[in-house]
């Protein structure tokens, strides 16, 4: 009513008035629409989140050494599922709003979480995942998920026909995958070297989301061997 229809009426039929903006974006978490003259918005400042020992995620840079590396065994015969839905057909789009807690309990998923947020944190723009990995294999698909963890006393939705419980709900905000051999060039694949630390960076694409006070920011990392 307010965006799509006026846009097409103006550009396809020459009717009405369209006040063009660089970006008209919905802020998830805050549940509001915004218009910006540029994207990312001017007020957005670059920030970094770091993995720390013991599953901690923080804006403070950690002291890094070989002993701080997290290690686990990935069994390609038991891959991490992208949905808990059991169906004979294609699962559709509901996996995008599934609770991520099941995967966070697996031993082959690394989970990092901030402390409870003392104030709202809003992200706006592209998200870059920068990993430093080593593997006993020559290739793997690396998955990174950005998750909003609700507080334990979060209210359930109303109405709630499916009985969803929002206490400690792990809501998927963004995810992406990178096949390691294409880390430097999609046209010239390079295998991973055995047990050699290798940087892998890829884009989780643009997000506009507010992690509210009392929530936590979580990152889940997993891989599938090729």
């Amino acid at each position: 009513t307010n965006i799509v229809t006026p846009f097409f009426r103006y550009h396809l039929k020459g009717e009405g008035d369209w006040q063009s903006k660089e970006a008209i974006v919905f802020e998830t978490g805050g549940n509001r629409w915004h218009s910006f003259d540029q994207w990312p918005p001017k007020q957005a400042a670059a920030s970094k989140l770091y993995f720390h020992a013991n599953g901690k995620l923080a804006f403070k840079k950690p002291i890094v050494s070989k002993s701080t590396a997290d290690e686990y065994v990935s069994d390609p015969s038991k891959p991490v599922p992208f949905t808990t839905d059991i169906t004979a057909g294609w699962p559709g789009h509901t996996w995008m709003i599934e609770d991520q807690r099941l995967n966070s309990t697996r031993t082959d998923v690394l989970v990092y979480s901030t402390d409870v947020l003392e104030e709202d944190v809003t992200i706006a723009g592209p998200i870059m995942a920068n990993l430093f990995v080593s593997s006993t294999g020559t290739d793997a698909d690396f998955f990174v998920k950005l998750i909003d963890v609700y507080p334990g006393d979060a209210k359930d939705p109303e109405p709630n026909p499916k009985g969803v419980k929002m206490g400690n709900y792990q809501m998927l905000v963004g995810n992406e995958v990178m096949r390691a051999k294409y880390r430097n060039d999609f046209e010239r694949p390079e295998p991973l070297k055995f047990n050699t630390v290798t940087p892998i960076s890829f884009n989780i694409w643009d997000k506009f989301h507010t992690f509210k006070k009392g929530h936590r920011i979580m990152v889940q990392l997993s891989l599938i061997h090729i």
Side-chain angles (χ1 to χ4, degrees):
T1 299
N2 298 315
I3 299 174
V4 178
T5 300
F7 176 88
F8 283 115
R9 284 189 183 279
Y10 180 78
H11 287 285
L12 298 182
K13 296 186 176 183
E15 299 175 358
D17 183 27
W18 175 254
Q19 299 296 326
S20 62
K21 293 285 186 178
E22 173 68 18
I24 301 174
V25 193
F26 186 74
E27 174 200 346
T28 55
N31 297 329
R32 294 169 292 189
W33 284 97
H34 298 260
S35 295
F36 297 108
D37 293 324
Q38 69 177 50
W39 183 262
K42 293 180 180 179
Q43 58 268 42
S47 298
K48 293 182 179 180
L49 272 171
Y50 296 93
F51 296 153
H52 287 248
N54 302 315
K56 187 176 179 61
L57 187 68
F59 290 98
K60 182 180 178 180
K61 189 174 182 178
I63 299 174
V64 179
S65 65
K66 288 185 178 180
S67 62
T68 61
D70 290 319
E71 182 178 286
Y72 67 96
V73 176
S74 176
D75 185 350
S77 66
K78 298 178 181 179
V80 178
F82 78 93
T83 178
T84 58
D85 188 24
I86 299 176
T87 176
W90 179 248
H93 64 276
T94 56
W95 61 271
M96 292 187 238
I97 56 171
E98 279 188 14
D99 193 335
Q100 300 297 309
R101 272 181 287 188
L102 178 63
N103 285 347
S104 69
T105 64
R106 291 177 59 113
T107 58
D108 55 355
V109 176
L110 296 179
V111 180
Y112 303 89
S113 178
T114 65
D115 294 332
V116 174
L117 298 176
E118 296 181 356
E119 59 183 4
D120 290 356
V121 174
T122 299
I123 58 172
I127 303 169
M128 183 64 68
N130 298 303
L131 308 178
F132 296 87
V133 305
S134 65
S135 174
T136 57
T138 58
D139 196 15
D141 286 344
F142 286 88
F143 292 81
V144 173
K145 292 181 178 180
L146 178 64
I147 294 167
D148 185 341
V149 183
Y150 280 60
D153 60 355
K155 294 181 179 180
D156 298 336
E158 293 182 8
N160 192 9
K162 293 189 176 181
V164 176
K165 298 298 182 182
M166 296 305 297
N168 298 312
Y169 193 89
Q170 294 182 8
M171 185 181 77
L172 184 63
V173 174
N175 72 312
E176 191 52 84
V177 57
M178 169 58 75
R179 183 156 293 183
K181 66 181 179 182
Y182 297 121
R183 62 193 179 276
N184 295 321
D185 194 320
F186 286 109
E187 294 183 352
R188 298 175 180 83
E190 303 173 49
L192 292 171
K193 294 182 180 179
F194 179 82
N195 276 357
T196 300
V197 176
T198 304
I200 297 178
S201 297
F202 55 97
N203 200 334
I204 307 182
W205 308 112
D206 291 66
K207 302 297 174 187
F208 189 22
H209 181 81
T210 294
F211 299 87
K212 292 186 175 181
K213 178 182 178 181
H215 290 221
R216 288 179 290 136
I217 303 173
M218 175 182 285
V219 172
Q220 292 184 7
L221 172 63
S222 60
L223 64 86
I224 297 179
H225 282 292
I226 307 300

